[in-house]
Amino acid sequence: MNRRVRKAVLPVAGLGTRVLPGAKTTPKNMLNVFDRPILSYVIEEGRAAGIEHFVFIVGRGQGAIEDYFDAAPEIENALEAKGKADILAEVRRDLPKPGQMSFVRQMAPLGLGHAVWCARDIIGDEPFAVMLPDMLMAAEPAALAQAVSAHDQVGGNIIVVEPAPEGEAHKYGIVDLESQTGRLNRMRGMVEKPAPGTEPSNLFISGRYVLQPEIFPLLEKQGKGAGGEIQLTDAMAELMKVQPFHALEYEGVTYDCGDKIGLLRANVAFALRHPSLGADARAAISGLL
Ligand code: UTP
């Protein structure tokens, strides 16, 4: 029986350069996608996968994230007094129970690997998820739930992947598979931004992982890699020498909210599918074309 995945690490301490100036005073992952911050969707996805504790790796000036996941008595009391029960429910839906979230300062954005390493003491000795919150994944079951099911099935480490757009594989971290049958395949390796024409597959690493705690000592001694940053990919490549990794091609659609056009796509897509405002959104968007 594989150990249950109960905790997720959400690294949010990056500078969000590609969505400046929007991310200058609002943390990137607090930017809105239609009517909610990006993080609201990601937490919902994590809960659907059975995550009980979320560990945020934050940087300076990101206090808005903690405040968002805390009670807001002034707003809540005002809504209650006015009888606005539906808005109140919306405001409260993302709230954790006390003790279900931790916030760790990364202190300097030294890279994704370093960010994950900052969670080591809170994760302890159990398998855990990593969710890159700027990747919004619309999926049923939720993308992370698909990864957790794969972990229940084969154990070890799971990396969620998806096909790169035609001719764009060289822009991503690409997985190398032992063989490809179905959606869950044992990995042989991975390469960060392979030279065009040398990609071992067209499947890129898209932002959800289940990792074993043995990654932490490897991250601890991991030097700087591509871009002068401490890369999670490098430590995973080390761990792969001693533990199995599987790539899971998940079923769903990814929106990369880390750049302006991706964020726009997410806004349009989530507006269109909104249960009560979708039809009005469609009319408003069509009117612009
Ligand atoms: P990205 O490179 O996509 O995010 O890192 P970024 O650095 O914010 O974006 P740009 O390139 O400047 O526009 C993937 C995730 O890892 C986090 C980011 O916040 C993002 O959610 N991250 C990255 C950290 O938490 N710490 C780091 O040192 C680097």
Side-chain angles (χ1 to χ4, degrees), residues 171-223:
K171 294 184 184 168
Y172 298 97
I174 300 288
V175 295
D176 187 2
L177 304 176
E178 279 188 358
S179 65
Q180 198 169 353
T181 40
R183 292 183 169 269
L184 184 61
N185 290 289
R186 178 89 184 242
M187 286 172 59
R188 188 161 49 195
M190 60 200 127
V191 264
E192 201 52 62
K193 300 189 177 64
T198 67
E199 304 91 347
S201 76
N202 72 333
L203 296 173
F204 76 95
I205 299 175
S206 59
R208 301 289 183 269
Y209 314 72
V210 173
L211 297 174
Q212 298 298 322
E214 287 76 19
I215 194 81
F216 290 121
L218 299 172
L219 284 169
E220 171 127 29
K221 55 180 192 222
Q222 190 64 57

Side-chain angles (χ1 to χ4, degrees), residues 37-224:
I38 295 168
L39 277 175
S40 166
Y41 298 90
V42 180
I43 293 299
E44 187 174 50
E45 180 193 331
R47 287 189 178 133
I51 298 299
E52 296 165 1
H53 192 123
F54 294 90
V55 186
F56 288 88
I57 312 301
V58 295
R60 277 179 293 287
Q62 296 191 323
I65 300 176
E66 266 181 85
D67 290 343
Y68 182 79
F69 290 107
D70 193 2
E74 278 180 10
I75 296 174
E76 292 175 37
N77 293 343
L79 290 172
E80 220 150 41
K82 289 183 185 153
K84 297 200 181 293
D86 47 345
I87 306 180
L88 185 59
E90 282 289 310
V91 167
R92 286 181 173 158
R93 70 186 256 184
D94 293 325
L95 291 184
K97 293 200 178 75
Q100 289 184 329
M101 283 187 179
S102 302
F103 296 84
V104 179
R105 286 278 182 121
Q106 192 186 2
M107 298 173 84
L110 300 180
L112 178 59
H114 181 261
V116 171
W117 178 71
C118 289
R120 64 199 179 281
D121 278 348
I122 300 176
I123 298 298
D125 186 28
E126 54 183 281
F128 64 102
V130 175
M131 306 177 81
L132 303 191
D134 35 2
M135 301 303 253
L136 268 194
M137 296 183 172
E140 191 50 52
L144 187 64
Q146 296 180 37
V148 168
S149 299
H151 176 261
D152 290 344
Q153 205 183 316
V154 295
N157 301 270
I158 308 290
I159 299 185
V160 172
V161 297
E162 63 182 276
E166 190 67 33
E168 291 192 14
H170 62 278
K171 294 184 184 168
Y172 298 97
I174 300 288
V175 295
D176 187 2
L177 304 176
E178 279 188 358
S179 65
Q180 198 169 353
T181 40
R183 292 183 169 269
L184 184 61
N185 290 289
R186 178 89 184 242
M187 286 172 59
R188 188 161 49 195
M190 60 200 127
V191 264
E192 201 52 62
K193 300 189 177 64
T198 67
E199 304 91 347
S201 76
N202 72 333
L203 296 173
F204 76 95
I205 299 175
S206 59
R208 301 289 183 269
Y209 314 72
V210 173
L211 297 174
Q212 298 298 322
E214 287 76 19
I215 194 81
F216 290 121
L218 299 172
L219 284 169
E220 171 127 29
K221 55 180 192 222
Q222 190 64 57
K224 288 180 182 168

